[in-house]
């Protein structure tokens, strides 16, 4: 039987997507060739890339003027690419520090100019989202992390800014409806909510590029990737293909609006158990709780052996918390069914 996969990333993908992907590895498009042994410039693959890009635009309801790229190097490469492409030579960028990923992003930005950490929740181990901060009007951009995968906190509101708005949405893109056109640049590693590792989605407003006065190496230059339709060099064909299939699966199942309802049900079910069962305590501040990654711990560590045994026996995978937080983390990305959360809750009730 398939396990209930709560892995934080790489994460669960829809079973039918995995089936289609494995078929395409052996025989893609009934052409008796594998998807991964044909040219990325062949018509069948160019169509895959275009379809993936169009699905992103359609699902996020992006207006004209945005380009969609599938790059390599993970979200971690975007930490430096965003700064390289958007920070002026004598510029400044503002960062909201909400956890490990934000800190890693701002560390890279410091290589390119002034970084203003406008607020940080480090004082409380990143268990909340700072509010009431001001964004300096002379910042070239503000960088946010919409969902803090490790701590289980999530931004529910996004500030209005004069400068550009950049967001790392690696672990909650396509999980909830919002006005995506408020962002000038969005990036996300595929392996959290979209596909396998190897592709990084970048959505960028064309008009913001080419304004820094910097020379940018070709592979790190968004403009070059846009001009080459995301095929400046060999794209990660398998990761793009599986991402396309997952996006198609999402569209066929009612798109973001429909999946958001299920994601809310999953989160409500698990948080209700954490809050009502004295054996457990949540990590994140209630108003900032993530619907994707739920972090919690046992109130009495002597229950650990029993709990670990029970969830393992119930066929649950990937519940261990991140090494920097400890405890448990249930990641409930789009492809995780509500039934899996019920299995976890039933186990928790036995503690
Ligand atoms: C996982 C993660 C990253 C790092 O992604 P890579 O693709 O492994 O580089 C960055 N930001 C967030 C929010 C993440 O969850």
């Amino acid at each position: 039987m398939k396990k209930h996969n709560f892995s934080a990333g790489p994460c669960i993908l829809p079973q039918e997507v995995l089936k289609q992907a494995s078929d395409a590895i052996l025989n893609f498009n009934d052409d008796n060739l594998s998807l991964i042994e044909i040219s990325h410039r062949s018509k069948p693959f160019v169509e895959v890339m275009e379809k993936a890009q169009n699905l992103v635009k359609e699902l996020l309801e992006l207006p004209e003027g945005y380009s969609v790229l599938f790059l390599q190097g993970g979200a971690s490469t975007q930490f430096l690419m965003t700064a390289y492409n958007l920070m002026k030579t004598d510029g400044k960028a503002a960062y909201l520090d909400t956890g490990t990923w934000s800190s890693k992003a701002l560390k890279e930005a410091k290589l390119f100019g002034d970084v203003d950490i406008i607020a940080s929740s480090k004082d409380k181990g990143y268990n909340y989202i700072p509010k009431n901060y001001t964004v300096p009007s002379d910042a070239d951009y503000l960088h946010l992390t919409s969902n803090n995968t490790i701590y289980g906190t999530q931004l529910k509101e996004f500030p209005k800014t004069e400068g550009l708005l950049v967001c790392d949405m690696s672990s909650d893109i396509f999980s909830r409806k919002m006005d995506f056109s408020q962002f000038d640049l969005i990036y996300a590693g595929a392996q959290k909510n979209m596909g396998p590792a190897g592709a990084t989605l970048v959505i960028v407003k064309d008009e913001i590029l080419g304004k820094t006065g910097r020379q940018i190496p070709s592979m790190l230059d968004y403009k070059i990737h846009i001009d080459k339709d995301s095929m400046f060099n060999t794209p990660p064909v398998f990761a793009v293909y599986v991402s396309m299939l997952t996006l198609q699966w999402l569209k066929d199942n009612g798109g973001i609006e429909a999946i958001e309802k299920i994601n809310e049900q999953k989160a409500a079910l698990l948080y209700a158990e954490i809050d009502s069962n004295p054996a457990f305590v949540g990590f994140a501040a209630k108003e900032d709780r993530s619907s994707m990654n739920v972090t919690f711990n046992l109130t009495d560590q002597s229950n650990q052996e029993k709990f670990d045994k029970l969830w393992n026996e119930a066929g649950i995978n990937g519940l261990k918390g991140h090494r920097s937080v400890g405890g448990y983390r249930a990641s409930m990305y789009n492809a995780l069914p509500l039934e899996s959360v019920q299995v976890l809750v039933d186990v928790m009730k036995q503690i």
Side-chain angles (χ1 to χ4, degrees):
M1 206 191 77
K2 187 79 184 172
K3 283 197 170 176
H4 302 286
N5 192 0
F6 288 85
S7 172
C11 79
I12 183 170
L13 290 171
Q15 197 60 23
E16 63 194 79
V17 165
L18 296 178
K19 174 74 178 62
Q20 283 172 284
S22 57
D23 289 347
I25 286 289
L26 292 174
N27 181 2
F28 178 55
N29 259 359
D30 273 332
D31 208 18
N32 293 314
L33 287 167
S34 169
L35 166 77
I36 57 172
E37 59 180 13
I38 59 167
S39 167
H40 57 290
R41 305 207 185 274
S42 64
K43 192 163 173 279
F45 188 76
V46 169
E47 281 173 10
V48 168
M49 178 61 92
E50 283 172 358
K51 199 168 168 200
Q53 290 169 322
N54 288 334
L55 280 164
V56 169
K57 289 184 184 170
E58 191 182 332
L59 287 163
L60 301 182
E61 295 177 17
L62 290 170
E64 290 291 303
Y66 283 87
S67 293
V68 174
L69 303 171
F70 287 91
L71 305 179
Q72 305 198 42
S76 299
T77 300
Q78 295 312 309
F79 297 161
L80 65 107
M81 270 179 83
T82 45
Y84 218 152
N85 284 264
L86 302 180
M87 212 195 287
K88 304 236 163 63
T89 40
D90 54 353
K92 177 164 110 174
Y95 278 72
L96 186 65
D97 177 26
T98 53
T100 302
W101 298 120
S102 327
S103 343
K104 287 191 172 173
L106 68 90
K107 175 170 179 263
E108 299 303 304
K110 281 180 180 169
L111 298 170
F112 300 93
D114 262 5
V115 167
D116 190 343
I117 303 171
I118 54 166
S120 171
S121 47
K122 199 174 181 177
D123 57 340
K124 290 191 180 160
Y126 294 120
N127 74 348
Y128 71 104
I129 302 289
K131 294 160 194 95
N132 303 322
Y133 47 80
T134 46
V135 184
S137 58
D138 60 341
D140 294 329
Y141 64 87
L142 168 65
H143 179 283
L144 306 168
T145 311
S146 57
N147 184 66
N148 298 283
T149 328
I150 295 174
Y151 311 90
T153 61
Q154 189 171 35
L155 266 72
K156 309 290 173 186
E157 277 171 21
F158 295 86
K160 296 258 174 294
T161 55
E162 283 174 48
L164 306 176
L165 193 56
V166 175
C167 194
D168 175 359
M169 289 197 191
S170 291
S171 53
D172 70 349
I173 192 161
F174 303 114
S175 74
R176 54 175 171 161
K177 264 198 105 83
M178 63 170 100
D179 174 14
F180 291 94
S181 71
Q182 69 188 299
F183 302 98
D184 298 282
L185 192 145
I186 297 168
Y187 63 89
Q191 73 276 12
K192 302 277 165 57
N193 210 17
M194 189 173 60
T200 312
L201 173 64
V202 176
I203 299 157
V204 55
K205 209 178 210 174
D206 301 320
E207 66 179 36
I208 70 172
L209 299 174
K211 295 185 173 163
T212 60
R214 281 180 205 284
Q215 293 271 28
I216 304 173
S218 306
M219 269 300 279
L220 302 180
D221 189 341
Y222 292 127
K223 210 161 175 316
I224 286 185
H225 288 288
I226 292 170
D227 290 345
K228 300 290 178 189
D229 293 325
S230 208
M231 298 236 200
F232 171 64
N233 71 325
T234 318
V237 291
F238 183 69
V240 173
Y241 181 66
V242 181
S243 298
M244 182 277 282
L245 293 178
T246 311
L247 296 172
Q248 184 64 51
W249 167 86
L250 179 57
K251 183 181 164 183
D252 294 344
N253 285 281
I256 297 182
E257 199 168 332
I259 208 80
E260 180 178 31
K261 288 209 180 81
I262 302 170
N263 288 336
E264 281 170 358
Q265 285 174 0
K266 291 188 289 186
L269 180 60
L270 184 50
Y271 283 121
E273 182 61 24
I274 291 169
D275 290 340
S276 63
N277 186 336
F280 294 96
V281 59
F283 174 78
K286 279 190 184 173
E287 72 271 20
D288 301 322
R289 282 172 161 178
S290 167
S291 55
M292 290 279 101
N293 312 94
V294 178
T295 44
F296 59 99
N297 210 339
L298 289 158
T299 43
D300 178 355
Q301 295 305 319
S302 69
N303 281 325
Q304 191 187 335
E305 204 175 318
K306 183 183 174 197
F307 181 53
D308 289 353
K309 186 164 176 285
L310 282 173
W311 62 259
N312 272 293
E313 282 172 2
I316 286 172
N317 173 65
L319 207 62
K320 209 170 165 302
H322 189 270
R323 58 192 179 279
S324 61
V325 175
Y328 299 92
R329 171 174 52 169
S331 298
M332 310 192 295
Y333 297 114
N334 285 352
L336 185 87
L338 182 62
E339 296 77 62
S340 291
V341 183
Q342 189 61 56
V343 170
L344 171 59
V345 166
D346 290 344
V347 166
M348 291 168 77
K349 285 189 191 301
Q350 295 177 53
I351 304 293

